[in-house]
Amino acid sequence: LGGITTTRDNASIASGSGIGTGMSINIGFDGEINFTGKWMAYASAGMGCGFDLTLYKYAPSYHCEGETGPFGAKYWFLQGQLYAYGGMAAGVKKVVDGEVKQDYVLINCSMAMLLSGKFPKPSYIYGGVALQAQILNVINVNVNAEFDAGTDCNIVQN
């Protein structure tokens, strides 16, 4: 997924000119069941989500590239993103002397979602979703969708 490329200004946050916060949560599992000593069923899955936000207080000498007027709410400007992802795999494999000889993948899929934005005045939002799946090595799905709206502000100093 694309999204807004941001570089966090840690000096501004440390000096009190901004604040950054975020959180992420991740869970998952991975396991195998041995049926005959050589054939094993396996499954794994994982997913996570999170966010990060940074709120900056800019001086009046800053502006959006290509513009001359003020931006934000009295030069306070918020940038951030929300994201989620997940994936799973399951199949049956034959293992001989510790080496995988055959692997029959039943399902292998993954997804990701990103929503990022900059607010306010001007406001800009980007969203993207990606899905990839393979079922029984026969059905393949690959879907990507993106959108954006508003006016992106690249902040520069006079």
Side-chain angles (χ1 to χ4, degrees), residues 15-84:
S15 70
S17 299
I19 184 170
T21 187
M23 181 177 70
S24 68
I25 299 171
N26 307 288
I27 60 172
F29 71 89
D30 187 10
E32 293 181 344
I33 298 173
N34 191 330
F35 287 112
T36 65
K38 290 184 181 180
W39 287 95
M40 297 181 181
Y42 62 88
S44 64
M47 59 198 249
C49 62
F51 73 93
D52 63 74
L53 301 171
T54 306
L55 179 64
Y56 293 108
K57 172 66 171 166
Y58 289 93
S61 61
Y62 287 84
H63 60 89
C64 293
E65 189 173 39
E67 303 287 329
T68 57
F71 67 96
K74 296 186 179 182
Y75 292 98
W76 284 96
F77 201 63
L78 177 70
Q79 298 179 14
Q81 62 184 2
L82 303 168
Y83 57 89

Side-chain angles (χ1 to χ4, degrees), residues 2-8 79 81 114 116 118 124 152-154:
I4 298 172
T5 56
T6 58
T7 54
R8 181 165 291 167
Q79 298 179 14
Q81 62 184 2
L114 173 66
S116 57
K118 297 178 178 182
Y124 177 75
D152 194 3
C153 175
N154 184 24

Side-chain angles (χ1 to χ4, degrees), residues 67-133:
E67 303 287 329
T68 57
F71 67 96
K74 296 186 179 182
Y75 292 98
W76 284 96
F77 201 63
L78 177 70
Q79 298 179 14
Q81 62 184 2
L82 303 168
Y83 57 89
Y85 56 89
M88 66 176 283
V92 178
K93 63 184 176 180
K94 182 178 181 181
V95 179
V96 178
D97 296 327
E99 185 179 331
V100 177
K101 296 293 184 179
Q102 294 173 311
D103 188 0
Y104 300 100
V105 177
L106 301 175
I107 186 167
N108 188 0
C109 63
S110 62
M111 64 73 76
M113 180 280 307
L114 173 66
L115 185 63
S116 57
K118 297 178 178 182
F119 303 97
K121 203 176 115 188
S123 295
Y124 177 75
I125 191 164
Y126 164 85
V129 176
L131 171 66
Q132 296 176 333

